């Protein structure tokens, strides 16, 4: 089962006898929000027009718990996450397709959570809503309740100590922009830089100009050049476990399993006792 789906394939599936559950997870990281500017309103964007049949899912409230010591987007309470997914109509025996406004980060966060908690068939709409050529709807469907019960897969998740260990024993990829990895700028967190031993691997280099993923072969070549091989385990982190999920998705497209450090830099950098590396080199 592939991790992504094209808009053409989605239209065909929606017209079939058993259409997938469709989740709209539009969200944007807003640095301006910290300065008092209005935050991006994904629910309002959804209300203005969405793929027919899609149900809105709020990343900040349903795919994460409140910001705190564990980072800006810590794992949600799994009972609450399961209830939110069931309200959206998610069942274990029915496929799920997730999309966002095109960046892919939010959709990947939903994909990762559902995949990590045991859903067998979740895909992300490659290119997000901009790739959809069909009509949009302003109707808000109320789906029949689903039966999905989260069952987490422990190896797919890293904590701070696990991320530090993986940077030494395997490959830990930093999905943030290169200037944040190098510590040249840090618009959000306490301090700039990266986890010692981590390799810079900006998420935006996994996609083309149209926002769609590079081919599986090109992604494999990219990750191989970053040191990823079949011999070593792979982990990913970012700022708060959102763009990192997109990198885990890119690795999945390439056929490479990877774990996610959900707390990411927002958790790591909040503790002054943890080491910080700066500059272009891992150490």
């Amino acid at each position: 089962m592939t991790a992504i789906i094209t808009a053409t394939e989605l239209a065909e599936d929606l017209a079939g006898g058993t259409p997938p559950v469709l989740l709209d997870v539009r969200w944007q990281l807003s640095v301006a929000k910290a300065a008092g500017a209005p935050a991006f309103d994904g629910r309002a964007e959804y209300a203005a027009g969405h793929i027919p049949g899609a149900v809105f899912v709020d990343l900040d409230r349903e795919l994460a718990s409140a910001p705190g010591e564990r980072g800006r987007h810590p794992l949600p309470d799994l009972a609450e996450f399961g209830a939110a997914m069931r309200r959206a109509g998610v069942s274990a025996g029915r496929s799920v397709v997730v999309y966002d406004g095109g960046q892919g980060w939010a959709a990947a966060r939903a994909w990762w959570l559902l995949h990590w908690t045991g859903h067998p068939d979740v895909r992300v709409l490659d290119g997000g809503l901009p790739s959809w050529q069909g009509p949009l709807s302003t109707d808000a469907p109320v789906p029949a309740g689903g039966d999905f019960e989260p069952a987490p897969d422990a190896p797919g998740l890293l904590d701070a100590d696990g991320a530090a260990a993986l940077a030494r024993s395997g490959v830990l990829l930093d999905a943030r922009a290169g200037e944040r990895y190098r510590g040249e700028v840090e618009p959000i967190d306490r301090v700039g830089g990266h986890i010692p031993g981590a390799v810079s691997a900006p998420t935006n280099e996994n996609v083309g100009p149209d926002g769609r993923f590079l081919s599986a072969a090109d992604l494999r070549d990219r990750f191989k050049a970053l040191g990823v091989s079949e011999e070593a385990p792979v982990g990913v982190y970012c700022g708060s476990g959102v763009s990192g999920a997109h990198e885990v998705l890119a690795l999945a497209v390439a056929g490479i399993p990877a774990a996610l450090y959900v707390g990411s830099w927002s958790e790591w950098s909040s503790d002054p006792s943890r080491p910080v590396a700066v500059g272009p080199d891992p150490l």
Side-chain angles (χ1 to χ4, degrees):
M1 196 64 66
T2 59
I4 56 176
I5 185 172
T6 68
T8 299
E9 291 168 337
L10 175 59
E12 293 172 352
D13 286 358
L14 291 173
T18 307
V21 174
L22 191 57
L23 305 180
D24 182 313
V25 197
R26 272 179 276 182
W27 171 91
Q28 287 182 11
L29 174 64
S30 177
V31 176
K33 180 181 176 183
F40 174 83
D41 190 341
R43 191 175 294 277
E45 295 288 323
Y46 168 84
H50 51 266
I51 299 176
V55 177
F56 181 73
V57 172
D58 189 315
L59 185 148
D60 290 319
R61 293 177 173 83
E62 296 174 315
L63 305 182
S65 54
E69 293 181 355
R70 295 184 298 133
R72 283 193 307 280
H73 290 103
L75 282 176
D77 176 89
L78 290 181
E80 294 179 5
F81 170 67
M85 293 299 97
R86 291 190 294 274
R87 285 195 302 271
V90 175
S91 293
R94 187 176 173 189
S95 64
V96 178
V97 173
V98 189
Y99 72 89
D100 59 22
Q103 188 178 40
W105 294 6
R109 172 72 175 221
W111 167 86
W112 180 82
L113 269 170
L114 282 165
H115 180 75
W116 176 67
T117 54
H119 198 288
D121 186 359
V122 189
R123 290 168 290 172
V124 169
L125 176 59
D126 196 15
L129 187 61
S131 71
W132 178 254
Q133 299 300 309
L136 298 179
S137 172
T138 56
D139 295 335
V142 180
D147 63 14
F148 179 67
E149 294 287 349
D153 173 27
L157 180 67
L158 294 170
D159 61 11
D161 290 340
L166 187 60
R168 298 188 297 268
S169 64
V171 179
L172 182 65
L173 301 177
D174 184 320
R176 297 172 301 157
E179 59 268 23
R180 292 184 69 189
Y181 170 89
R182 295 187 295 271
E184 297 166 358
V185 299
E186 183 42 66
I188 307 173
D189 294 312
R190 185 186 67 84
V191 64
H194 58 270
I195 297 174
V199 177
S200 181
T203 291
N204 61 5
E205 295 180 17
N206 295 323
V207 299
D210 59 359
R212 301 183 192 187
F213 281 105
L214 304 178
S215 70
D218 286 344
L219 287 170
R220 283 192 291 271
D221 288 343
R222 164 169 157 73
F223 291 122
K224 181 179 179 181
L226 293 170
V228 173
S229 69
E230 296 180 357
E231 288 73 38
V234 181
V236 181
Y237 76 96
C238 57
S240 65
V242 180
S243 67
H246 190 269
E247 187 120 295
V248 174
L249 176 58
L251 285 155
V253 172
I256 302 166
L260 178 66
Y261 173 27
V262 173
S264 285
W265 189 248
S266 59
E267 179 187 39
W268 182 276
S269 64
S270 69
D271 184 346
S273 70
R274 294 194 183 106
V276 171
V278 296
D281 297 324
L283 296 173

